[in-house]
């Protein structure tokens, strides 16, 4: 019998990526279906707790969450219930949780000895204090960003710690019912150029699937905004070996079987900026290359068992 796979994502978003992923899954002989988060429901009654899909009790073999940042607190609970039944989630719910919060990601990587930027986590508001005098590297330009935002949303730069302090003492508006805590870091010495490294782990071996070099538009430093220059790095293990090594180390520290690691230069060495557990598959440019790698990770997850 063919294994049942659910790809959880919004059908009207990331259309090319979803198309490549579904095509790759079918080529690998999965019975695959794209499921919107709104098609899921969690039922709790005298029979226990279970997940329904379109109102039916269906337990898949493997689930791939894709681009579900906003409904993640709900989707995560559905995945938790499925995981308890032996369903394989790629990447794992635990790894996705660690990557969803930039402060959490940075803490885990630092504890594992993976190089990161010096960081301060805080909740914006009138009572916070930015303790920059006690931390090296916080005496120049600083960058502040919401810990759970994506695609460069909410990223701000400040010419001095005093400017950052003044801004962060202003309460931020509610976003989806909450105020996000922020991460404050010195601007990287290599700001304006970074690398997105897609990694995949199979049978305890973490491999680099693809590397792109991203250059911010003139006058900006955020590299994932419109107008950025994105170039493939061919033979990355030879061209940027240290970038690849740091990305692999980050994935292993987070238990991430598939993801995108953003690496930048700071102080003449590569450091991790952030990690995305659901990186884009670049289907318009790469076809099924990255999608095939993700499906191979899913197949490996099933074969190794719970």
């Amino acid at each position: 019998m063919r294994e049942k796979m659910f790809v959880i994502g919004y059908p009207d978003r990331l259309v090319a990526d979803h198309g490549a992923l579904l095509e790759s899954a079918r080529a690998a002989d999965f019975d695959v279906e794209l499921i919107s988060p709104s098609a899921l429901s969690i039922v709790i009654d005298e029979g226990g707790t279970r997940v329904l899909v379109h109102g039916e009790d269906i337990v898949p073999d493997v689930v791939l969450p894709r681009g579900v940042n906003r409904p993640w607190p709900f989707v995560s609970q559905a995945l938790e219930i499925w995981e308890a039944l032996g369903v394989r989630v790629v990447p794992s719910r635990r790894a996705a949780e660690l990557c969803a919060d930039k402060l959490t990601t940075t803490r885990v990587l630092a504890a594992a000895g993976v190089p990161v930027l010096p960081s301060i986590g805080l909740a914006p508001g009138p009572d916070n204090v930015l303790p920059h005098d006690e931390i090296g590297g916080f005496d120049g330009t600083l960058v502040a960003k919401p810990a759970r935002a994506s695609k460069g949303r909410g990223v701000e730069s400040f010419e001095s710690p005093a400017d950052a302090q003044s801004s962060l003492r202003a309460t931020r508006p509610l976003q989806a019912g909450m105020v996000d805590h922020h991460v404050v870091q010195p601007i990287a010495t290599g700001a304006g150029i970074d690398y997105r490294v897609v990694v995949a782990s199979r049978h305890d071996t973490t491999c680099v699937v693809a590397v792109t070099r991203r250059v911010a538009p003139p006058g900006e430093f955020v590299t994932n905004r419109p107008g950025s220059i994105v170039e493939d790095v061919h033979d990355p293990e030879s061209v940027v070996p240290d970038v690849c090594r740091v990305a692999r180390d980050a994935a292993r520290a987070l238990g991430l079987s598939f993801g995108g690691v953003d690496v930048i230069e700071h102080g003449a060495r590569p450091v991790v900026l952030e990690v995305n557990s659901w990186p884009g598959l670049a289907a318009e440019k790469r076809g099924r290359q990255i999608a095939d790698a993700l499906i191979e990770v899913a197949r490996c997850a099933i074969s190794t068992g719970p």
Side-chain angles (χ1 to χ4, degrees):
M1 180 180 291
R2 297 163 68 199
E3 289 101 342
K4 182 68 177 178
M5 172 186 287
F6 285 150
V7 176
I8 300 180
Y10 290 101
D12 59 341
R13 303 177 193 171
L14 304 173
V15 175
D17 278 7
H18 287 151
L21 194 54
L22 295 176
E23 186 179 330
S24 293
R26 291 174 183 132
D29 205 31
F30 279 103
D31 176 12
V32 62
E33 186 176 354
L34 177 63
I35 300 292
S36 170
S38 61
L40 303 175
S41 54
I42 297 174
V43 175
I44 306 156
D45 59 16
E46 65 276 3
T49 301
R50 59 195 184 279
V51 178
L52 303 186
V53 181
H54 295 300
E56 297 184 35
D57 190 353
I58 305 173
V59 179
D61 295 288
V62 61
V63 177
L64 310 184
R66 298 292 303 167
V68 289
N69 302 66
R70 284 300 181 191
W72 177 247
F74 169 72
V75 172
S76 177
Q77 293 184 64
L79 297 179
E80 180 182 13
I81 295 165
W82 272 335
E83 281 182 333
L85 297 174
V87 176
R88 309 302 284 172
V89 178
V90 179
S92 72
R93 183 177 56 88
R94 170 62 175 164
E97 292 279 9
L98 295 178
C99 295
D101 186 316
K102 295 176 178 61
L103 182 60
T104 300
T105 303
T106 303
R107 289 173 51 217
V108 172
L109 295 181
V114 179
V116 294
L117 287 167
S119 303
I120 298 172
L122 50 78
D127 298 318
N128 76 60
V129 175
L130 188 62
H132 60 276
D133 291 336
E134 302 176 10
I135 305 170
F138 278 79
D139 53 356
T141 301
L142 300 182
V143 175
K145 49 193 172 184
R148 296 181 64 87
S150 60
K151 301 186 182 300
R153 297 185 184 96
V155 177
E156 301 174 276
S157 66
F158 304 97
E159 292 185 1
S160 70
D163 291 341
Q165 178 73 89
S166 177
S167 176
L168 291 167
R169 282 186 170 173
T171 302
R172 299 311 199 252
L174 289 174
Q175 298 290 335
M178 65 184 115
V179 176
D180 206 358
H181 56 289
H182 278 51
V183 177
V184 183
Q185 299 168 325
I187 193 165
T189 56
I193 301 175
D194 66 15
Y195 296 87
R196 162 59 63 88
V197 184
V198 179
V199 293
S201 297
R202 298 177 292 273
H203 303 296
D204 297 324
T205 300
T206 301
C207 302
V208 171
V209 177
V211 178
T212 52
R213 181 178 183 266
R214 308 183 300 186
V215 182
E220 296 193 29
F221 65 94
V222 180
T223 63
N224 57 350
R225 285 182 175 165
S228 295
I229 298 172
V230 180
E231 305 168 325
D232 280 342
V233 177
H234 300 288
D235 192 16
E237 295 285 4
S238 298
V239 176
V240 285
D242 290 343
V243 168
C244 293
R245 174 184 52 78
V246 167
R248 289 194 301 269
D249 289 347
R252 285 191 287 263
L254 294 161
L256 187 66
S257 59
F258 181 88
V261 183
D262 295 345
V263 182
I264 196 167
E265 182 180 284
H266 184 64
R269 68 169 182 164
V271 302
V272 176
L273 264 180
E274 57 187 77
V275 182
N276 188 335
S277 57
W278 309 315
L281 305 180
E284 297 94 336
K285 183 175 183 179
R286 295 182 179 273
R288 282 174 34 187
Q289 176 194 353
I290 300 178
D292 283 347
L294 176 51
I295 293 301
E296 188 176 345
V297 171
R299 173 65 71 194
C300 181
I302 293 175
S303 67
T304 55

